[in-house]
Amino acid sequence: MNQIELIRALPKAELHVHIEGTFEPELMFAIAQRNQIQIPYQSVEEVKQAYNFHNLQSFLDIYYAGANVLVHEQDFYDLAWAYFEKCAEDRVVHTEMFFDPQTHTERGVEFATVLAGLKRACTDAKEKLGISSQLIMCFLRHLSEEKAFETLEQALPFKDDIIAIGLDSSEVGHPPSKFERVFTKAREAGFLIVAHAGEEGPPEYIWEALDLLKVNRIDHGVRSEEDERLMTRLIAEKMPLTVCPLSNLKLCVVKDMGEHNIRRLLQKGVHVTVNSDDPSYFGGYMNDNFIAIQEALALSHDELKQLAINSFEASFISDEEKQKWIEEIKAI
Ligand code: ADE
Ligand code: ZN
C-alpha cells in the first residue's frame, strides 16, 4: 500500500471544521436562489476567483458574506449533509463540527433553527452513513464579551446537543483573556472548551487559552514552536493541536507547504492532528490536507498512522470508541 492509499484507507476523526466553511459555491447559489437572496457573484467560477486570501481577515469577510444566504432549518441541514457526504468519501468516521450561531442570530435567524438543521443532519449521518458527530459552538471573538454571554444563555437549553464551546474569528487584537469570564461560566455549565490560538496570534494567546480558558484542545497552535517553554508544557500535558495545513497555506500563515511545521511538531512529541478548517474555501477536505502534507513533507507510514491515532485520542468520544478505532488503524 502506498502513502496515498494508506491515507484513503485510514479511519480518521475531524476535530476542526467550521460547518459554514464547508459551504460549496454550487450549494450557495442553490440556497440563495431558493431564498431569493442576492449574492455578489454571477457564477460559481466567479465565486472561486474571489477565494484569494492574503490573511485571516480577508477570508473571514467573504466567509461571513457567504453565510448570509442561510436562513431556514433546511438550509442548515443541506449544508451539514453535504459535508457528511465528503466525510464518507474521505473515511472521516467521526467529526466534531464548529458552528458560529452569532453569524446567524445577528441577522435574525433563531438559534433553535440553526441547531435543529445541524442536529437533524447529524442524526441522519449516523443512521445512513455510520458517521458519528458532535457540535461545538463558537463565540465570535471580534464581538463583545456581552454578546458571548448572550449566546451562552441561548445555548443553555440545548446543553445536551453541544459538547464544547470554542472561540474563533479575527484573532489578533482579541486575546482569549477578553472572554475569560464567559468561558468560566461555560465550564461551570459543563461544556468542554476549545479555542483558536496561535494561528496568526502570538504564543501568549496560547498561554492564555491554557491558563485562563482552561481548554481541552488548542485549535491551530502552529505558532507554539516560537516558545520553548510552551512547547515543553504542550508535550507534558499531551495537549492536542488541531492543525489545518491547507488553511495555513491559503491564509499565508506559511508561504509554502514545504515550510509547514506539522511534521516537526509531531517528531518533537506534540499531539498534532490534521483537519480541514474551511474546506470549501481552502481547496480541500480531510484527505486533501493529508495528501498535501504527505507530498510536501514526505511523511512515513508510521507518521500518517500516528496522525490518525492522534485524531481519535484528541476527540471527545468514549475511551472504548477510541480504542476500537486505534486498533483498527494499527491493524492496517
Ligand atoms: N472561522 C472560520 N475559520 C476560521 C479560522 N481559520 N480562524 C479563525 N476563525 C475562523
Ligand atoms: Zn478554524
Side-chain angles (χ1 to χ4, degrees):
M1 193 185 290
N2 67 29
Q3 256 80 345
I4 306 291
E5 288 164 340
L6 176 63
I7 288 167
R8 296 210 172 102
L10 286 168
K12 293 161 290 274
E14 175 139 74
L15 308 178
H16 184 154
V17 59
H18 302 260
I19 198 61
E20 295 89 348
T22 69
F23 206 3
E24 291 288 340
E26 290 79 3
L27 184 60
M28 198 182 287
F29 265 88
I31 293 182
Q33 200 159 39
R34 106 184 160 203
N35 289 346
Q36 305 273 307
I37 293 173
Q38 294 288 326
I39 51 174
Y41 309 106
Q42 295 300 317
S43 65
V44 166
E45 281 63 43
E46 208 182 303
V47 180
K48 288 183 178 162
Q49 272 161 22
Y51 292 178
N52 243 321
F53 314 115
H54 52 275
N55 60 17
L56 174 58
Q57 193 59 50
S58 64
F59 153 69
L60 289 171
D61 293 341
I62 288 181
Y63 160 87
Y64 292 129
N68 278 342
V69 307
L70 298 163
V71 178
H72 304 292
E73 193 255 19
Q74 187 65 38
D75 304 340
F76 293 95
Y77 176 90
D78 291 346
L79 174 69
W81 182 254
Y83 166 64
F84 280 121
E85 288 186 320
K86 300 284 190 182
C87 289
E89 281 173 30
D90 279 3
R91 224 173 163 226
V92 171
V93 297
H94 175 74
T95 179
E96 297 176 3
M97 306 183 290
F98 298 129
F99 70 110
D100 288 339
Q102 289 161 295
T103 301
H104 314 299
T105 54
E106 292 274 305
R107 297 180 288 115
V109 177
E110 294 289 331
F111 187 98
T113 303
V114 179
L115 198 65
L118 298 180
K119 234 188 96 180
R120 186 158 63 84
C122 292
T123 305
D124 280 0
K126 184 70 200 164
E127 229 170 71
K128 297 178 183 161
L129 302 171
I131 297 170
S132 59
S133 56
Q134 295 282 3
L135 294 171
I136 300 175
M137 178 184 95
C138 288
F139 298 135
L140 297 181
R141 68 203 304 159
H142 67 276
L143 300 180
S144 66
E145 181 200 35
E146 189 189 348
K147 292 273 185 193
F149 268 112
E150 280 171 27
T151 306
L152 181 58
E153 280 305 314
Q154 290 174 316
L156 288 177
F158 305 99
K159 167 79 191 47
D160 293 346
D161 300 324
I162 300 169
I163 186 111
I165 305 292
L167 184 65
D168 66 2
S169 194
S170 322
E171 186 182 10
V172 174
H174 303 283
S177 49
K178 176 177 167 186
F179 297 95
E180 181 179 359
R181 293 185 298 184
V182 69
F183 274 93
T184 299
K185 186 161 180 200
R187 269 198 328 278
E188 285 168 0
F191 292 104
L192 296 168
I193 305 295
V194 299
H196 283 55
E199 177 185 17
E200 285 187 344
E204 288 71 34
Y205 285 22
I206 304 174
W207 284 105
E208 286 191 10
L210 295 169
D211 290 334
L212 305 182
L213 308 192
K214 306 196 192 305
V215 291
N216 300 90
R217 298 195 292 248
I218 295 282
D219 296 316
H220 293 293
V222 287
R223 287 194 61 190
S224 53
E225 222 186 3
E226 295 168 25
D227 182 336
E228 269 309 311
R229 221 165 46 84
L230 177 59
M231 287 287 285
T232 305
R233 164 114 181 243
L234 294 174
I235 294 163
E237 292 185 6
K238 210 176 163 200
M239 175 59 61
L241 304 186
T242 63
V243 177
C244 308
L246 285 172
S247 165
N248 294 151
L249 184 65
K250 289 288 150 68
L251 300 187
C252 306
V253 170
V254 292
K255 281 204 256 351
D256 184 288
M257 198 58 94
E259 285 173 21
H260 203 288
N261 63 1
I262 188 166
R263 187 174 184 204
R264 214 165 45 237
L265 289 168
L266 182 69
Q267 289 173 343
K268 286 179 178 174
V270 181
H271 198 92
V272 286
T273 65
V274 177
N275 306 272
S276 69
D277 205 6
D278 301 283
S280 163
Y281 293 89
F282 300 150
Y285 288 78
M286 177 64 95
N287 286 357
D288 302 309
N289 275 273
F290 263 96
I291 291 167
I293 56 170
Q294 164 56 33
E295 287 178 345
L297 305 170
L299 293 142
S300 68
H301 267 54
D302 283 349
E303 286 171 329
L304 292 169
K305 283 187 171 189
Q306 191 60 52
L307 288 167
I309 289 170
N310 286 358
S311 76
F312 291 101
E313 283 186 341
S315 76
F316 298 141
I317 59 177
S318 70
D319 287 344
E320 284 95 340
E321 282 283 293
K322 287 183 187 182
Q323 272 324 306
K324 185 191 94 177
W325 290 118
I326 291 167
E327 271 158 33
E328 183 169 335
I329 293 166
K330 286 184 174 162
I332 290 176

